[in-house]
Amino acid sequence: QMNRKMTLPQISKIMMDFERQNETMSMKEEMMADAMDDAFADDDDEEEEESILGAVLAELGVEIGNKLSNAPSTNMAASAAAAEPQGVAAAGGGGGDADGDDFDAELQKRLDNLRRT
């Protein structure tokens, strides 16, 4: 009964289609595996990437290391809080002399800078 429904040419054709699809899938799987290996295998190229990046940045004139070494390393809020007691003492003990005027001018200058930003 089953032999009557499935003929040998039909079975042969189905098997050929299966083999073709299986080979196609195998090729796609291999290509995907290669792509994944290339994407995640960047550990070997890290030194080369650093040298290329350094050359490009050097061409552009970017010197990050020098600029960062000149940057302040303290917190801005902490330095402002540390500077405030000195300023208050200078203003309070000045009694209106020339040092107090300089301090007021400096504070006004800082306030103007803050308003601009």
Side-chain angles (χ1 to χ4, degrees), residues 33-55:
D34 288 344
M36 294 295 280
D37 288 343
D38 289 344
F40 292 115
D42 62 346
D43 295 336
D44 301 335
D45 300 332
E46 191 168 326
E47 291 177 13
E48 184 180 354
E49 289 172 4
E50 289 293 326
S51 66
I52 291 171
L53 182 62

Side-chain angles (χ1 to χ4, degrees), residues 1-7 10:
Q1 195 175 21
M2 184 66 131
N3 288 339
R4 287 185 221 150
K5 290 183 180 181
M6 295 294 284
T7 61
Q10 281 180 323

Side-chain angles (χ1 to χ4, degrees), residues 1-17 19:
Q1 195 175 21
M2 184 66 131
N3 288 339
R4 287 185 221 150
K5 290 183 180 181
M6 295 294 284
T7 61
L8 188 58
Q10 281 180 323
I11 293 174
S12 178
K13 183 180 181 288
I14 290 171
M15 290 301 291
M16 295 276 285
D17 286 344
E19 280 183 52

Side-chain angles (χ1 to χ4, degrees), residues 18-95:
F18 176 77
E19 280 183 52
R20 194 174 320 122
Q21 292 294 328
N22 197 21
E23 285 180 32
T24 304
M25 187 180 78
S26 175
M27 284 186 219
K28 286 180 182 178
E29 182 181 4
E30 187 176 334
M31 286 173 36
M32 287 298 293
D34 288 344
M36 294 295 280
D37 288 343
D38 289 344
F40 292 115
D42 62 346
D43 295 336
D44 301 335
D45 300 332
E46 191 168 326
E47 291 177 13
E48 184 180 354
E49 289 172 4
E50 289 293 326
S51 66
I52 291 171
L53 182 62
V56 170
L57 291 176
E59 282 182 26
L60 295 174
V62 176
E63 297 176 6
I64 295 173
N66 292 339
K67 291 180 181 178
L68 291 179
S69 65
N70 295 335
S73 60
T74 60
N75 189 349
M76 291 301 290
S79 61
E84 189 173 319
Q86 295 171 350
V88 170

